[in-house]
Amino acid sequence: MAVILAALALLPGARLPRTGPVPQAKPEAATEAPAVPQPEKKPEEEQVPKPQPAPAQNPETPPAASEVPTPQPKPSEIPAAPAVEKFGPPSPAPEDLTPKPPAEQTLEEQHLTIEPESDADHAECTTELQSLGVVFRETPRIDDNNGCGIDKPIIVSQALPGIALKPEATLRCPTALALARWMKGSVIPAASVALPESGDITTINQASAYICRLRNGADTGKISEHARGNAIDIASFSFKKGEDVAVRSRRDDSTLTGAFQRTVSAAGCLYFTTVLDPESDAAHETHFHLDVIKRKGDFRYCH
């Protein structure tokens, strides 16, 4: 009842509106939504429009020319720039600094030096030569560069009394001493047994003494012991009565001459540290190579 009474009290003050409501179009009849007014933007507040994704195109419709990407050439397809012509001699190739192995080095590339000899050792050696009757003379120091030479050379004309060395040989004293000892201790006794009818040995015919070169006359490799005065090559022996005995291959020689050569070749290793005979290789088919090179542990090579 209180609510009803309150409502009745408000009715006398209620009034109707002067105009009726404006009719609105049905939703299905609307063709365009009214534009909503936007607040005016100041120029400085304008924003850069965001990129919009390109609209999907019909695969049957070719894209506009401006939309076709320009193909880029591959690096391999880019033509090389024309070479700039250079004048004058070509630049030298860079030097190879890799050291060559010793077997491929020339004598000049090895930078060798002459082995010094002490005065005391040389004096002792020459004194012994004199006691054996070797005929020799002193000569000035030889230096042919690149390690070729002899510090205290001697020139030998007789290996022992009555046995000429032809031609006379320039050697180090230790080489001449080994030659004299070999002749006295082995060659002369072997000849007296094998070739008594030939008489005494009168001459040792040598093929090479001191000479500046590499082994076997090669262009590269180790220096020859001939270039240091340590070696002598024997080509033949001359006798008072008989024919010369030439050094040659006598492996299958069953004569006393063959036995003589094989005997003195084998005995050479008692006096020299290297003995190469005609059975060694093609480079020694016509002579003995005898040298006094020093090796570790007093090792000797005899063939």
Side-chain angles (χ1 to χ4, degrees):
M1 286 296 291
V3 174
I4 295 173
L5 291 176
L8 292 176
L10 294 174
L11 286 176
R15 294 182 180 179
L16 293 175
R18 294 181 179 181
T19 60
V22 179
Q24 301 294 330
K26 295 182 179 179
E28 58 271 19
T31 58
E32 183 178 354
V36 179
Q38 298 293 332
E40 183 179 357
K41 294 182 178 180
K42 297 180 181 180
E44 61 272 13
E45 294 179 353
E46 291 184 357
Q47 299 179 353
V48 178
K50 296 182 179 180
Q52 300 296 325
Q57 296 184 0
N58 188 336
E60 297 179 358
T61 303
S66 60
E67 298 176 355
V68 178
T70 303
Q72 298 297 324
K74 298 179 180 179
S76 60
E77 298 175 353
I78 299 175
V84 179
E85 184 177 359
K86 295 182 179 181
F87 298 94
S91 300
E95 183 180 357
D96 185 4
L97 300 179
T98 303
K100 296 179 183 179
E104 297 179 7
Q105 292 181 358
T106 64
L107 185 59
E108 292 77 9
E109 292 172 332
Q110 297 183 44
H111 306 293
L112 302 173
T113 58
I114 297 173
E115 182 180 355
E117 300 180 70
S118 73
D119 292 339
D121 289 344
H122 182 71
E124 182 180 349
C125 179
T126 54
T127 298
E128 190 164 357
L129 286 182
Q130 292 169 349
S131 68
L132 290 170
V134 178
V135 179
F136 67 95
R137 65 184 184 274
E138 305 272 358
T139 191
R141 184 177 188 270
I142 299 172
D143 186 354
D144 290 331
N145 298 320
N146 303 312
C148 290
I150 306 174
D151 190 27
K152 292 178 170 54
I154 61 172
I155 299 175
V156 180
S157 55
Q158 288 190 27
L160 284 175
I163 301 179
L165 183 60
K166 293 184 178 180
E168 59 184 17
T170 301
L171 303 165
R172 285 183 64 237
C173 184
T175 311
L177 182 57
L179 177 64
R181 288 172 173 174
W182 176 58
M183 290 296 299
K184 182 177 182 178
S186 297
V187 178
I188 292 173
S192 65
V193 173
L195 307 168
E197 69 283 359
S198 296
D200 296 336
I201 296 176
T202 58
T203 306
I204 302 171
N205 300 294
Q206 61 98 358
S208 179
Y210 170 76
I211 184 173
C212 182
R213 64 174 174 81
L214 297 179
R215 292 183 182 180
N216 299 328
D219 294 329
T220 59
K222 293 184 177 181
I223 191 171
S224 171
E225 290 307 303
H226 286 282
R228 299 182 176 232
N230 286 334
I232 187 168
D233 292 345
I234 306 300
S236 65
F237 301 94
S238 296
F239 292 79
K240 183 180 292 186
K241 300 177 183 178
E243 297 179 352
D244 290 359
V245 175
V247 177
R248 59 181 176 82
S249 178
R250 297 183 185 274
R251 185 195 302 273
D252 300 322
D253 186 347
S254 58
T255 67
L256 285 172
T257 301
F260 165 73
Q261 180 177 300
R262 292 192 297 271
T263 298
V264 298
S265 176
C269 211
L270 300 174
Y271 309 93
F272 298 92
T273 56
T274 305
V275 177
L276 301 174
D277 65 15
E279 315 303 338
S280 300
D281 54 34
H284 299 90
E285 287 180 338
T286 59
H287 63 272
F288 292 135
H289 169 88
L290 311 169
D291 72 47
V292 293
I293 184 175
K294 291 184 179 181
R295 298 187 180 91
K296 293 181 180 180
D298 293 329
F299 173 75
R300 300 187 175 210
Y301 182 85
C302 304
H303 191 290

